[in-house]
Amino acid sequence: DAKTTQPNSMESNEEEPVHLPCNHSTISGTDYIHWYRQLPSQGPEYVIHGLTSNVNNRMASLAIAEDRKSSTLILHRATLRDAAVYYCILRDFNSGYALNFGKGTSLLVTP
Amino acid sequence: DVKVTQSSRYLVKRTGEKVFLECVQDMDHENMFWYRQDPGLGLRLIYFSYDVKMKEKGDIPEGYSVSREKKERFSLILESASTNQTSMYLCASSTFGGRTETQYFGPGTRLLVL
């Protein structure tokens, strides 16, 4: 799978928007951008994914740069429950079945 | 919502014991996976199954076996537990659409082997 780069950690205040960046400069045309998160002592949880266009769902929004070399996961109003490690990964039809999370971004949300 | 459940959240076993970890999904997914997660090593795939009675080895199958007799149920078996199998075990499922499909995870089983 193509490599992604994320900051090790970010901090946000509760009820403020959070923008989590991901760089993927070697992305190919067939790579989908997936985001998962893992709350403490829980299994990973799917957040959102996209290919070229920006995507919205009930959890978050995904903004994809026009050249697709970077993307941003947007949490519109962070809550304490959003404190987790967020993983950005690229997947295409040739990817192995295993999800290979990198170190991700550890998000701290303060009241 | 997709639901993946695992039989235990926490388990303590002794070296040499046979250990069964069970996973059930309620979304009629074809694919099911067993991972282990260790600090600094990330997620590692042990086995996956793409259909009933079908299985494929993942990256670290040694010391483990699996069973899938029904579509919704995927079991991981540690034939003779060892201390280096102390870990967080995660089950996941997905539809058969290919490697871009979302994987849905269970809450995990934290296994301690003494």
Side-chain angles (χ1 to χ4, degrees), chain B residues 29-31 49-55 67-74:
Chain B
H29 283 168
E30 290 81 7
N31 293 338
S49 168
Y50 52 89
D51 201 352
V52 174
K53 295 193 190 294
M54 306 305 288
K55 62 186 179 187
S67 171
R68 192 159 179 208
E69 297 296 319
K70 292 186 178 181
K71 189 176 185 180
E72 68 271 18
R73 198 175 297 266
F74 191 34

Side-chain angles (χ1 to χ4, degrees), chain B residues 2-14:
Chain B
V2 175
K3 197 158 174 77
V4 179
T5 56
Q6 295 183 227
S7 48
S8 306
R9 289 300 308 273
Y10 300 94
L11 213 48
V12 180
K13 295 292 180 180
R14 297 214 173 270

Side-chain angles (χ1 to χ4, degrees), chain A residues 85-110:
Chain A
V85 179
Y86 286 79
Y87 299 102
C88 165
I89 59 172
L90 303 181
R91 306 280 291 163
D92 76 0
F93 297 103
N94 294 315
S95 298
Y97 282 101
L99 295 182
N100 292 311
F101 294 156
K103 290 188 165 43
T105 297
S106 180
L107 176 65
L108 175 66
V109 180
T110 51

Side-chain angles (χ1 to χ4, degrees), chain B residues 33-90:
Chain B
F33 308 83
W34 275 106
Y35 291 90
R36 62 179 283 180
Q37 186 175 35
D38 301 286
L41 296 176
L43 278 181
R44 292 183 291 169
L45 183 64
I46 304 171
Y47 269 98
F48 73 94
S49 168
Y50 52 89
D51 201 352
V52 174
K53 295 193 190 294
M54 306 305 288
K55 62 186 179 187
E56 292 283 343
K57 292 180 180 178
D59 299 317
I60 51 161
E62 296 79 19
Y64 303 95
S65 62
V66 290
S67 171
R68 192 159 179 208
E69 297 296 319
K70 292 186 178 181
K71 189 176 185 180
E72 68 271 18
R73 198 175 297 266
F74 191 34
S75 301
L76 179 70
I77 302 143
L78 285 65
E79 297 289 344
S80 177
S82 64
T83 55
N84 63 12
Q85 292 178 309
T86 291
S87 186
M88 169 75 119
Y89 288 88
L90 292 159

Side-chain angles (χ1 to χ4, degrees), chain A:
Chain A
D1 294 341
K3 189 174 165 55
T4 62
T5 305
Q6 300 176 254
N8 288 335
S9 62
M10 292 184 66
E11 195 169 332
S12 173
N13 294 321
E14 200 177 7
E15 297 189 5
E16 288 188 358
V18 182
H19 290 229
L20 296 161
C22 181
N23 287 319
H24 28 79
S25 58
T26 59
I27 192 170
S28 75
T30 55
D31 280 325
Y32 286 77
I33 302 158
H34 287 246
W35 284 82
Y36 286 78
R37 72 179 184 181
Q38 189 167 18
L39 279 64
S41 300
Q42 297 289 328
E45 176 185 30
Y46 165 77
V47 179
I48 201 166
H49 77 282
L51 183 61
T52 54
S53 305
N54 295 344
V55 184
N56 301 296
N57 67 19
R58 63 179 174 83
M59 287 180 71
S61 296
L62 176 60
I64 301 173
E66 202 168 322
D67 64 4
R68 300 210 324 127
K69 292 183 187 299
S70 65
S71 59
T72 303
L73 179 70
I74 302 164
L75 307 179
H76 295 286
R77 285 184 72 214
T79 69
L80 297 178
R81 198 198 168 274
D82 291 321
V85 179
Y86 286 79
Y87 299 102
C88 165
I89 59 172
L90 303 181
R91 306 280 291 163
D92 76 0
F93 297 103
N94 294 315
S95 298
Y97 282 101
L99 295 182
N100 292 311
F101 294 156
K103 290 188 165 43
T105 297
S106 180
L107 176 65
L108 175 66
V109 180
T110 51

